[in-house]
Amino acid sequence: MRQINLENTQPGMVLAKDLYDRNGRLILKEGTSITEQHLRTFKVWRITALFVHMTGEQEKVEEERIDPDVQKRVDFKLKQKFRNADLSHPFMDMLYQNCQLRALAAALKSEKPHGT
Amino acid sequence: MVLDAASLVRSVSTVASLPSIYDRLRTVISRPLSSARDIGGVVSEDPGLTARLLKLVNSAFFGFPGRIDTVSRAITIVGTHQLSDLTLATSVIKAFDSVPQDLVDMTSFWCHSLAVGVCARVIASQRREDNVERFFVAGMLHDIGLPIMYMKLPREMRQILERSKATGELLDTVEKAVLSYDHTDVGRFLLKGWNLPESLQEAVHFHHHPERAQHFPVEAAAIHLADLIATALDMGSGGEYWVPPLDVKAWDFLGLNINTIPAMWDEIQCQYEDVVKIMLGKGK
């Protein structure tokens, strides 16, 4: 399971956690296979990130998008930052994943101009 | 000689005095016969404040449909106590204009403070608290002891910052080890000197140890969680490098639904961007 941004969500991915909007309203149950129609609805409901299960293939595509060096740098920095925190608590785990997502998005953005 | 926390605050009372508008506003609000127009009259004495308050009530912070363009209208919609809390938040930044910035970038300090305010406010609205602006102000003030310490104890604070960075110890731990008090003690004395309500004093004083709050445990727990989020998400910094450990009891006590957390990130980001623009923007 991993948390991904809406723009990287592909039809066919399977929701790994119940999806709620910011008011706590349930939008979609876990285990649902995401369709084009869902993606359009998420946009309207201003969902920006969600948890999905990925197939091996999807996992590979997602991983190839991210330079392993960048991933390593991000993880190293975050591990330092969270050195006093206990990540086994579900809230801390979510917070950590969110930080990871943000840091990777920022890294991708800053590297794009040099990219091929 | 190193001053204790109370004397430290006394020695800066002239520098960091709260703008009188907040006191005048509270006097007017406490009179039972005051109308929204009377209160609006006080706020309007300060055009900068008026502009910022109006921008704030028209931002993603409130998300009201339609424009609110007078203070008295803002009061009827937002509420008098909420408005006075927002006034406090808006005027406190000004009170610290003269802090020397060689140890801390005050813009980054206020970004962190505003982020904690926003996070606390989002947590409070999840809990359906009556006055979420009270949480916003508490969050905004949570590290208010720090600029006082940077001002009065620059040498000690430089050592403290360096040691925290080098050893991985949390800032308040190092402060306590070196000075025998920390920024939360200083913050409390300052708020006390300003005659601010006990709920703000406790929330600020106990944000690293929410279990010690006796009268306002919700406020303290919310600020604790908010501080952790803002630090983790790198929204400005008051000097702390490391994400503080979660007080699990405070988390349980707040009773937030873990499923709504991912949606909370977006709301926090949205409100944070708006509030930073309004409170620290050029519209001085």
Side-chain angles (χ1 to χ4, degrees):
Chain A
M1 177 177 74
R2 77 158 79 206
Q3 193 179 16
I4 59 170
N5 284 328
L6 183 60
E7 61 247 42
N8 300 329
T9 311
Q10 303 293 330
M13 286 179 176
V14 175
L15 203 58
K17 266 188 180 178
D18 287 350
L19 182 65
Y20 291 80
D21 75 353
R22 54 187 69 186
N23 297 315
R25 222 173 341 207
L26 179 66
I27 297 193
L28 206 60
K29 289 292 274 182
E30 101 165 73
T32 314
S33 172
I34 294 165
T35 65
E36 283 283 354
Q37 172 67 36
H38 285 139
L39 291 178
R40 277 195 296 274
T41 316
F42 293 164
K43 217 167 193 174
V44 174
W45 285 82
R46 293 203 281 165
I47 300 293
T48 53
L50 56 163
F51 289 89
V52 291
H53 292 299
M54 288 184 175
T55 63
E57 189 58 30
Q58 286 161 341
E59 192 88 48
K60 226 172 107 203
V61 171
E62 181 72 11
E63 246 141 44
E64 269 165 14
R65 254 172 21 87
I66 299 161
D67 182 344
D69 283 345
V70 173
Q71 174 90 46
K72 238 187 246 161
R73 260 204 319 272
V74 163
D75 278 339
F76 179 75
K77 246 184 100 187
L78 278 181
K79 287 252 158 64
Q80 286 286 308
K81 210 172 161 55
F82 279 79
R83 60 195 289 168
N84 290 298
D86 175 9
L87 295 181
S88 66
H89 191 278
F91 172 75
M92 293 309 286
D93 182 44
M94 271 188 186
L95 183 60
Y96 187 87
Q97 287 206 39
N98 186 250
C99 290
Q100 217 173 18
L101 201 65
R102 286 164 65 106
L104 285 175
L108 282 179
K109 221 181 202 169
S110 69
E111 282 178 13
K112 231 175 216 162
H114 317 286
T116 44
Chain B
M1 194 203 78
V2 176
L3 297 166
D4 62 77
S7 333
L8 195 70
V9 169
R10 267 197 301 277
S11 72
V12 291
S13 56
T14 45
V15 185
S17 68
L18 207 53
S20 62
I21 191 152
Y22 177 69
D23 265 338
R24 288 210 300 285
L25 196 59
R26 280 209 301 197
T27 314
V28 177
I29 288 174
S30 65
R31 279 191 219 121
L33 289 178
S34 293
S35 67
R37 255 182 72 191
D38 298 331
I39 298 163
V42 175
V43 174
S44 309
E45 284 168 32
D46 183 337
L49 174 69
T50 309
R52 259 187 235 155
L53 278 176
L54 285 178
K55 274 190 204 156
L56 206 56
V57 292
N58 283 297
S59 71
F61 221 51
F62 289 96
F64 288 127
R67 263 201 85 69
I68 300 160
D69 38 23
T70 65
V71 175
S72 51
R73 175 115 183 87
I75 294 167
T76 35
I77 292 179
V78 180
T80 48
H81 291 286
Q82 288 79 347
L83 192 91
S84 80
D85 281 337
L86 288 176
T87 306
L88 173 58
T90 319
S91 44
V92 77
I93 296 180
K94 234 183 177 167
F96 285 82
D97 262 359
S98 60
V99 175
Q101 307 222 18
D102 38 342
L103 278 177
V104 65
D105 168 8
M106 279 308 276
T107 306
S108 181
F109 172 83
W110 287 121
C111 279
H112 173 67
S113 302
L114 289 168
V116 174
V118 163
C119 295
R121 192 177 184 274
V122 169
I123 292 167
S125 53
Q126 289 268 337
R127 287 180 41 87
R128 315 234 184 282
E129 293 286 339
D130 288 339
N131 183 357
V132 297
E133 308 318 331
R134 176 54 51 89
F135 286 79
F136 174 62
V137 187
M140 233 195 110
L141 295 173
H142 80 291
D143 271 350
I144 202 70
L146 276 173
I148 308 265
M149 293 163 84
Y150 291 132
M151 234 184 314
K152 299 307 280 187
L153 306 166
R155 250 203 345 227
E156 289 82 354
M157 284 310 284
R158 187 179 298 279
Q159 282 171 8
I160 288 169
L161 287 173
E162 278 165 8
R163 173 167 152 191
S164 162
K165 197 173 187 178
T167 62
E169 295 166 283
L170 294 164
L171 191 60
D172 62 300
T173 313
V174 184
E175 285 168 355
K176 215 137 200 167
V178 174
L179 302 166
S180 78
Y181 58 84
D182 65 31
H183 60 271
T184 66
D185 300 308
V186 178
R188 176 167 205 150
F189 279 117
L190 185 68
L191 299 194
K192 207 172 177 169
W194 283 351
N195 269 324
L196 293 182
E198 178 70 18
S199 66
L200 291 179
Q201 293 184 32
E202 269 208 352
V204 168
H205 195 187
F206 298 125
H207 71 269
H208 291 302
H209 299 282
E211 78 282 358
R212 294 185 194 159
Q214 296 197 337
H215 306 289
F216 299 95
V218 179
E219 281 81 351
I223 306 307
H224 167 72
L225 193 62
D227 184 32
L228 211 143
I229 297 171
T231 308
L233 298 185
D234 268 333
M235 294 168 152
S237 168
E240 180 62 87
Y241 297 108
W242 319 115
V243 177
L246 175 70
D247 185 313
V248 177
K249 274 197 197 128
W251 164 266
D252 292 340
F253 181 70
L254 285 171
L256 298 177
N257 177 352
I258 188 101
N259 294 314
T260 59
I261 299 296
M264 233 169 75
W265 307 138
D266 302 329
E267 199 176 349
I268 288 169
Q269 184 66 32
C270 227
Q271 291 193 9
Y272 171 70
E273 282 169 16
D274 258 22
V275 160
V276 164
K277 236 181 279 159
I278 293 163
M279 303 290 250
L280 305 176
K282 288 180 191 95
K284 266 189 181 169

